[in-house]
Amino acid sequence: PSPQNPAAMTYVKNIAIVGAGGNSGKYIAEALLKTGKHTVTAINRVGSTSALPAGIAAAKQVNYDNHEDLVQALNGQEALIITLSGTAPATIEPALIRAAVAAGVTWIVPNGSADITDEALFKELPALGRIRDATRQIEESGSSAYLSLSTGFWYEWSVSLPFAYGFDFKARAVTLFDEGNVRIRNTTWPQLGRAYAALFSLPVHADSGPSLAQFRNRQAAVESFFVSQRDIFESVLRVTGTTEADWKVTHQPSAARFAAGKEMLMRGEMAGFGLMLYSFGFFPEGKRAAVQSETVNNVLGLPQENLDEMTKAAIDRASKLPF
């Protein structure tokens, strides 16, 4: 047999993560470290007090407004994964990308997991278009490439927040949008972490089988569950040992909820954005042009998760929220 192409045996080793102590960043960092293949560096803003996962090789605090500072922090990194909170200033990500390109970082994962082909979503919620701006900025650099996974909504986050999927566990109340039967894509944080760890465990090039190069400058989809509010409610009933009669169930047209969110946003109430985003996600079939693309779950060897187990994690999270 002919010897394997040496290039096929190369993997990405040095990976920097912005936000390694955050909601999604923590799970991505932990999953990467678990593979034993990567050296993970945490990049945080000066003054950050985020607790970082054990095993991080180095933690660098940088001034995001200082280009030289950022370039120096990213020197020697092969990949940069950006995870920023939704409230982070819009200038941070473009600055990180500019610095990564200047530092010779080959692979950049932009912030966010919205489907970059979802025109209807960006038309209604332009703020989400930042992910598309980021992918363009990376691709146009000519030297760096983007990798991106669209995930649908984050499951534990969305189920735990009343404004998101309509569940108020403290009040034992649920608001179903329309009939609550529209199924959408969800991904849990552990699955998100496993997905990026599996992606970066692929050889950069391979004579046969999947390689990182196949994901260059394109977005692929992953998921944990393709479910409706009704499916989630049934899971909640099983996990809590309650019946529907124990809950206050109300219905609200998704279009009316979206309009209410829009009004709130126009008054300067940022909570309106969440109402718009989630009600839009559940608009009845036919009202939206979003295409549910095939997932790469099998290519990445992702497990089938247990819905009730993750619903329990979401309910536990809700019990710790300050509201």
Side-chain angles (χ1 to χ4, degrees):
S2 61
Q4 178 80 331
N5 171 4
M9 305 309 288
T10 59
Y11 296 82
V12 169
K13 186 173 191 301
N14 297 326
I15 301 176
I17 302 184
V18 173
N23 283 326
S24 60
K26 179 180 72 158
Y27 286 94
I28 295 171
E30 286 173 349
L32 285 167
L33 289 165
K34 200 174 168 186
T35 67
K37 289 181 176 179
H38 312 288
T39 301
V40 179
T41 298
I43 306 282
N44 283 326
R45 61 180 167 73
V46 172
S48 169
T49 54
S50 290
L52 297 171
I56 293 278
K60 298 180 179 181
Q61 294 208 342
V62 293
N63 175 357
Y64 288 153
D65 297 323
N66 185 320
H67 180 70
E68 285 72 28
D69 231 24
L70 282 175
V71 173
Q72 199 175 353
L74 292 170
N75 273 332
Q77 299 298 327
E78 296 159 83
L80 169 65
I81 299 173
I82 302 171
T83 69
L84 294 165
S85 91
T87 56
T91 53
I92 293 178
E93 186 172 25
L96 286 165
I97 293 169
R98 278 193 300 276
V101 171
V105 177
T106 308
W107 306 97
I108 304 173
V109 175
N111 189 47
S113 53
D115 178 348
I116 58 176
T117 64
D118 194 343
E119 298 296 341
L121 180 69
F122 297 135
K123 183 168 175 277
E124 293 291 358
L125 296 162
L128 292 174
R130 283 186 199 174
I131 184 171
R132 203 157 50 171
D133 297 339
T135 58
R136 283 182 186 146
Q137 184 188 352
I138 296 161
E139 202 167 358
E140 285 167 7
S141 74
S143 53
S144 301
Y146 74 82
L147 300 166
S148 178
L149 295 174
S150 70
T151 63
F153 291 123
W154 290 335
Y155 190 75
E156 311 93 305
W157 168 272
S158 305
V159 174
S160 68
L161 297 169
F163 73 77
Y165 282 3
F167 291 92
D168 185 337
F169 295 103
K170 293 186 174 81
R172 203 169 270 181
V174 60
T175 302
L176 297 176
F177 315 153
D178 305 310
E179 296 306 310
N181 292 327
V182 172
R183 287 194 161 91
I184 64 169
R185 175 168 290 153
N186 294 260
T187 301
T188 65
W189 282 321
Q191 188 82 317
L192 177 76
R194 284 188 289 265
Y196 275 112
L199 191 59
F200 280 110
S201 292
L202 294 174
V204 174
H205 298 281
D207 292 336
S208 61
S211 68
L212 199 58
Q214 291 167 351
F215 291 86
R216 180 187 171 86
N217 287 335
R218 61 173 276 238
Q219 190 181 53
V222 295
E223 73 182 21
S224 295
F225 314 115
F226 191 67
V227 288
S228 67
Q229 280 181 297
R230 277 265 171 215
D231 297 329
I232 298 167
F233 189 25
E234 284 167 19
S235 175
V236 166
L237 296 179
R238 290 191 296 270
V239 169
T240 56
T242 56
T243 66
E244 195 164 326
D246 300 321
W247 287 69
K248 183 187 177 198
V249 181
T250 53
H251 290 261
Q252 183 179 22
S254 52
R257 193 176 177 90
F258 183 84
K262 203 168 193 172
E263 279 179 25
M264 287 171 69
L265 202 56
M266 285 167 81
R267 291 197 301 267
E269 296 173 43
M270 288 313 294
F273 182 84
L275 285 185
M276 290 174 73
L277 175 63
Y278 283 96
S279 54
F280 189 77
F282 283 103
F283 271 8
E285 258 76 43
K287 291 259 187 82
R288 292 196 51 200
V291 178
Q292 284 296 345
S293 49
E294 285 292 306
T295 72
V296 291
N297 280 35
N298 289 343
V299 175
L300 296 179
L302 300 179
Q304 178 56 57
E305 294 162 284
N306 180 296
L307 181 66
D308 290 358
E309 201 179 293
M310 297 318 297
T311 298
K312 184 180 184 308
I315 295 171
D316 289 347
R317 183 177 187 276
S319 70
K320 297 178 180 76
L321 291 173
F323 47 83

